[in-house]
Amino acid sequence: MAFDPQLAEIRFGSGLSPTLAPVPSVDTMLARLQGPDRAADHFPIAKTDETLALVRVFAKLRKLDRSKRGTPEAKLAAKTFKRFRREYLQQRDLWFRQLVLRHVTTQDSLRERLTLFWADHFTAKGKNRAMRPLAYGYVESAIRPNITGRFEDLLIAALTNPLMLHYLDQFRSRGGNSALSRRQGGRGGLNENLAREVLELHTLGVGGPYGQKDVRQLAELFTGLSYRIEKGFVFDERMAEPGAETILGRVYGGGEPKLEAVLQVLRDLARHPATADHIALKLAVHFTQDQPDPDLVAALSASYRDSDGDLLQVYAALLNHGSSWMPELRNVKPPFDFLASACRGLGVAPAHLAGWEPKQIRRSFIAPLKLMGQDWQSPVGPDGWEEADTAWITPQGLSARLRWAMAAPQRLVKDLPDPAGFAQHCLGARANARVQFAASAAETRGEAIGLVLCSPAFQRR
């Protein structure tokens, strides 16, 4: 099994486009990953600092609104807060549009797929209205710039981002013998959420070589990791548990609490062989099939270990392995990938979407995603979205996909394309006889386009 340009776009990218030539080689895919991030430049999304500034305004206006209740200024304060809150949430919808346009227009679509993959691996979300839009800044600041570096840098960037510290309640965690606890009579306590997810989800994996004692010790070492809305990430020594902690048999810290001990344990966890196996399996499942070739997983794990977690070398191992190019399409596209690849296949014009109001974006994308089972940026737990195909092949999910495919394309492009040509453009050699028959036999052009989008050939990658 060898490299296939069309398959490269479908399996490792955002799908085929009528206006962009398929990527010609693995070398080009890897070279583009190392080049400038043109999609982010063309369709910018706020980073953490900017979104934190908005959170500060949100908190200030909310406080003013509450303080003015029962006074003559109450009506103005309430109106000002309501308007800002509405515009704040609308901005989130506009950032979603930027995200879709990156997938539609990029020639470097492996970068978009990897960004989604790692954002899901390090799932974090805001737990209140003020913090929810921070998810966009989190991906832009912590995930996207680090997907081609070493895994340990990606791990550190994700875990020290304010959104992750907020999501897993790390900012509340304090050592029982910390200076702050002693001063406040033992108020507060240790929170193990971040430590447990780091071991179970982010590094060693479920069933990895660790126990509850390691979780507890790591949680104590993590005390001090916090954030301030005004400053972003901080290491608050007052909250840190003094003394040394032992994790996986190695001692960390021991003197005054310092951030460096935390960073060192993260680097060690990132380079652990169990982490190599965990990351290798996740990548192989995500990009090939639910039950990947064991030889592929072993090759990815070996590349990870040999390079100390150099992700670019792991991607090279993935793209140069024969199993990655099996011609049969296996994995079902998650809802966002389905919508994004449909827009790319339709050749949606950026100028057209740029004119859409936030309400249109919610109605055409965000609300349908929720019906398909992917409430955008709001997965149920820290383990992120389901990877198994069966999670997306549900009666409700398929019904939502069908309804979207039949109605949305007519809003997304000015003139619907010829169905037969559309099938060829978005599926290439995989526009089989069944797809071509559906494209030619439907009563209307809209129905034909919808049937192509709903075909198994388009739903899988």
Side-chain angles (χ1 to χ4, degrees):
M1 293 174 279
F3 173 81
D4 173 344
Q6 293 181 346
L7 186 57
E9 297 291 346
I10 293 172
R11 178 163 296 154
F12 295 100
S14 305
L16 291 166
S17 164
T19 58
L20 298 167
V23 64
S25 68
V26 165
D27 288 345
T28 302
M29 297 173 77
L30 295 171
R32 285 175 179 171
L33 271 182
Q34 299 171 76
D37 189 349
R38 300 188 188 285
D41 292 340
H42 292 158
F43 301 103
I45 295 174
K47 296 186 177 181
T48 292
D49 287 349
E50 186 178 341
T51 47
L52 276 178
L54 293 172
V55 174
R56 285 198 291 273
V57 177
F58 190 104
K60 179 182 176 182
L61 293 178
R62 179 173 55 191
K63 184 178 180 180
L64 182 67
D65 174 43
R66 291 172 176 170
S67 69
K68 294 297 183 183
R69 288 176 187 173
T71 72
E73 297 85 12
K75 188 174 181 180
L76 177 60
K79 184 178 179 181
T80 303
F81 178 48
K82 184 178 180 181
R83 183 173 61 243
F84 177 81
R85 189 173 59 188
R86 182 177 63 248
E87 293 173 353
Y88 182 56
L89 295 178
Q90 286 177 342
Q91 181 60 62
R92 185 173 56 165
D93 300 332
L94 297 178
W95 288 331
F96 179 89
R97 180 188 64 196
Q98 301 291 76
L99 183 61
V100 172
L101 287 176
R102 290 178 180 180
H103 283 259
V104 169
T105 60
T106 185
Q107 288 187 311
D108 183 16
S109 54
L110 177 57
R111 187 194 299 269
E112 303 307 318
R113 288 286 307 285
L114 288 169
T115 300
L116 291 178
F117 172 82
W118 288 115
D120 188 57
H121 181 78
F122 292 105
T123 289
K125 64 180 180 181
K127 295 197 291 186
N128 55 50
R129 288 189 174 184
M131 295 294 283
R132 279 173 199 154
L134 206 61
Y136 283 94
Y138 166 67
V139 175
E140 293 300 295
S141 297
I143 305 297
R144 193 174 182 99
N146 293 297
I147 61 171
T148 56
R150 293 192 183 279
F151 178 75
E152 61 192 57
D153 295 325
L154 176 59
L155 175 69
I156 290 171
L159 266 58
T160 55
N161 188 275
L163 186 68
M164 182 66 82
L165 299 170
H166 156 82
Y167 176 49
L168 294 178
D169 298 316
Q170 177 60 35
F171 71 104
R172 301 181 192 278
S173 183
R174 59 173 70 175
N177 298 305
S178 66
L180 204 56
S181 288
R182 291 200 307 273
R183 194 170 72 198
Q184 296 181 344
R187 182 180 167 191
L190 190 68
N191 189 299
E192 297 181 356
N193 287 352
L194 182 63
R196 188 175 305 282
E197 305 309 356
V198 164
L199 294 172
E200 181 174 312
L201 300 178
H202 302 149
T203 60
L204 307 180
V206 177
Y210 65 91
Q212 173 56 30
K213 188 176 180 181
D214 295 306
V215 173
R216 182 81 180 179
Q217 289 279 286
L218 187 58
E220 290 188 350
L221 189 64
F222 279 173
T223 50
L225 295 181
S226 190
Y227 73 94
R228 304 286 183 270
I229 294 298
E230 297 78 13
K231 298 180 180 178
F233 169 73
V234 296
F235 183 74
D236 190 341
E237 296 179 10
R238 300 171 308 156
M239 302 174 71
E241 177 73 9
E245 282 81 24
T246 302
I247 298 113
L248 303 183
R250 180 171 176 181
V251 178
Y252 296 89
E256 291 296 319
K258 298 291 182 185
L259 175 61
E260 184 52 42
V262 177
L263 301 183
Q264 186 57 55
V265 76
L266 292 176
R267 292 190 186 99
D268 290 344
L269 288 171
R271 298 188 182 202
H272 196 284
T275 300
D277 293 341
H278 180 51
I279 298 301
L281 179 61
K282 284 198 71 171
L283 279 167
V285 168
H286 182 80
F287 283 102
T288 62
Q289 54 186 330
D290 287 357
Q291 302 298 325
D293 178 1
D295 186 67
L296 170 62
V297 178
L300 298 183
S301 182
S303 175
Y304 185 105
R305 290 194 304 273
D306 294 345
S307 66
D308 288 334
D310 184 333
L311 294 175
L312 203 58
Q313 293 196 40
V314 179
Y315 306 150
L318 172 68
L319 296 174
N320 284 303
H321 196 281
S323 292
S324 296
W325 302 102
M326 59 181 177
E328 300 85 9
L329 302 179
R330 297 289 175 83
N331 281 344
V332 173
K333 296 175 183 175
F336 176 82
D337 299 67
F338 165 58
L339 297 192
S341 61
C343 291
R344 187 176 171 92
L346 287 164
V348 170
H352 180 62
L353 273 192
W356 280 27
E357 298 292 330
K359 186 176 181 179
Q360 289 174 280
I361 297 167
R362 286 197 300 276
R363 182 185 301 166
S364 293
F365 293 112
I366 299 173
L369 274 180
K370 188 174 182 179
L371 292 174
M372 294 176 199
Q374 195 171 30
D375 190 3
W376 191 241
Q377 290 192 332
S378 194
V380 175
D383 53 346
W385 301 114
E386 291 282 351
E387 195 67 67
D389 295 346
T390 51
W392 307 116
I393 305 297
T394 64
Q396 179 181 331
L398 289 176
S399 173
R401 290 189 190 218
L402 180 61
R403 290 200 301 274
W404 187 88
M406 290 296 176
Q410 299 172 65
R411 299 193 295 270
L412 290 167
V413 293
K414 186 176 180 181
D415 298 309
L416 287 176
D418 169 71
F422 172 70
Q424 195 64 42
H425 282 139
C426 65
L427 288 171
R430 288 161 183 80
N432 57 41
R434 290 183 177 180
V435 174
Q436 291 174 348
F437 174 77
S440 62
E443 292 187 1
T444 68
R445 181 167 287 199
E447 289 178 359
I449 298 295
L451 290 173
V452 173
L453 293 176
C454 290
S455 67
F458 189 84
Q459 295 284 332
R460 293 182 181 273
R461 60 192 182 195

